[in-house]
Amino acid sequence: MKKIVFIINPISGIGQKKKVEKAIGRWDARNEFDIEIFYTQRAGHAPELSEKALKNGADIIVAVGGDGSINEVSQPLIGTDVVLGIIPAGSGNGLATFLKISKNVKKALEIIHKGNVKRIDTVMINETPFVSIAGVGFDALVAKRFSEFPFRGFWSYLHIVLKEYIQYKPKKYRLIIDGINYSRRALFVSMANSNQFGYNTTIAPDASIYDGLIDICIVRKVAWYKAFMLGPYLLQNRIDKSKYVEIIQGKEIYILRKRNKVVNIDGEAVKLKKNLKVNIVPQSLNLLVP
């Protein structure tokens, strides 16, 4: 009997977690697994719970939450044979949307039961791993404001974007991508392993968690009265067609900044040193996929 541990973030997203334990109790396959359920109690608790589950012989560890929860639960599993499962219960659910994992708990449990495991790439930014997307600039500021906002969900996210966009001044970045130098003034620079931020907003249409490459998305600022023009590109999976967006693929990226401001790491605002090293870690995480 395989041991499966569910790690639930009770405060991420918009309250779906209350349904999860009940759904596990009604799960048709529950008698096929040795099941344990844990709730995170504070920031940074999920990696500790995941590490403990790993040491206690878990075969599958399931992150119940958003992209930030997936990031934290996955950290101890990178480079091991233990398998990560996902039940999307966050606000944007970018990675789950990219993977086509349903937000319906019963359907997400069916994916876990089916047991289709694939080895995927992860990425390191300085000493911090991420699974989906990291970025500097405006998207990192939005992630910081979102973490401070009293309400979750799409409308809160949109409110922050609209409020901050007009006054935000693009920053100049020096990028070294696989040894080639680039100098760009950008609204933000995203390093994409999967293709989207969440809420079905696709920033890197060709990104793949299996190709051993990072898609570096450099986005210039558009005048506020033209910004609405980017919306259809983001929502229709064709942002790469915009003249305001440049995408370069690489395996190792250095980002040289003037200040050590926050970085968006899988939807969470994290303060790192001003100079960043980003590199792909190919086929380093076992993941349950549809």
Side-chain angles (χ1 to χ4, degrees):
M1 185 178 287
K2 287 188 176 181
K3 184 174 183 179
I4 181 167
V5 174
F6 293 84
I7 297 176
I8 302 175
N9 180 352
I11 62 169
S12 72
I14 50 176
Q16 189 180 356
K17 281 71 59 187
K18 294 178 181 179
K19 302 176 183 177
V20 174
E21 191 165 349
K22 190 177 291 185
I24 294 169
R26 296 193 302 261
W27 188 22
D28 293 341
R30 65 187 181 279
N31 294 325
E32 298 177 29
F33 298 98
D34 176 11
I35 294 174
E36 288 187 298
I37 300 173
F38 297 100
Y39 286 87
T40 59
Q41 298 175 356
R42 51 186 163 74
H45 194 201
E48 295 175 18
L49 292 174
S50 185
E51 177 74 29
K52 183 177 179 180
L54 179 69
K55 289 180 178 177
N56 289 339
D59 299 290
I60 301 169
I61 302 177
V62 180
V64 183
D67 290 333
S69 298
I70 294 167
N71 177 293
E72 290 195 343
V73 172
S74 70
Q75 287 180 18
L77 311 187
I78 294 171
T80 75
D81 292 327
V82 176
V83 178
L84 174 70
I86 296 172
I87 294 180
S91 299
N93 298 306
L95 182 61
T97 302
F98 168 75
L99 294 166
K100 296 182 172 56
I101 296 174
S102 175
K103 288 184 283 187
N104 179 287
V105 178
K106 184 177 179 180
K107 292 181 179 178
L109 286 169
E110 288 172 1
I111 292 170
I112 294 168
H113 185 212
K114 187 186 293 184
N116 182 27
V117 178
K118 289 196 175 180
R119 195 84 171 166
I120 70 165
D121 304 332
T122 58
V123 187
M124 293 294 294
I125 180 164
N126 287 0
E127 302 302 318
T128 303
F130 68 90
V131 182
S132 188
I133 287 182
V136 296
F138 184 70
D139 72 324
L141 174 65
V142 170
K144 183 174 186 295
R145 295 285 184 264
F146 192 64
S147 69
E148 300 163 347
F149 207 69
F151 306 107
R152 310 300 280 178
F154 173 76
W155 296 110
S156 298
Y157 187 84
L158 182 62
H159 169 81
I160 294 165
V161 170
L162 295 176
K163 181 181 178 182
E164 299 290 343
Y165 187 84
I166 294 176
Q167 61 188 5
Y168 188 85
K169 294 182 180 180
K171 305 296 187 290
K172 189 172 183 179
Y173 299 98
R174 182 185 169 203
L175 309 172
I176 305 171
I177 304 173
D178 291 345
I180 301 175
N181 282 272
Y182 301 84
S183 181
R184 298 288 189 271
R185 187 171 294 278
L187 177 69
F188 63 85
V189 179
S190 287
M191 285 68 68
N193 192 32
S194 74
N195 71 0
Q196 67 165 270
F197 294 128
Y199 302 112
N200 283 307
T201 54
T202 303
I203 188 62
D206 295 327
S208 169
I209 54 177
Y210 307 111
D211 65 359
L213 295 168
I214 306 163
D215 286 43
I216 302 96
C217 310
I218 305 163
V219 180
R220 292 162 47 206
K221 188 173 183 182
V222 186
W224 67 267
Y225 55 86
K226 292 183 180 179
F228 72 93
M229 295 167 57
L230 285 179
Y233 285 103
L234 281 167
L235 296 172
Q236 295 171 15
N237 201 28
R238 56 191 186 97
I239 193 67
D240 54 330
K241 307 302 181 188
S242 170
K243 65 181 179 180
Y244 298 104
V245 176
E246 178 183 9
I247 299 178
I248 305 166
Q249 290 186 319
K251 296 181 178 180
E252 184 178 79
I253 305 101
Y254 291 90
I255 302 176
L256 309 182
R257 306 182 293 169
K258 291 185 178 180
R259 296 177 184 173
N260 56 337
K261 291 190 174 183
V262 295
V263 178
N264 172 16
I265 299 180
D266 284 335
E268 302 294 328
V270 180
K271 195 165 186 178
L272 298 179
K273 293 179 180 178
K274 65 179 182 178
N275 294 332
L276 306 173
K277 178 184 177 182
V278 186
N279 61 280
I280 196 79
V281 187
Q283 298 184 13
S284 51
L285 178 65
N286 284 322
L287 180 65
L288 285 162
V289 299

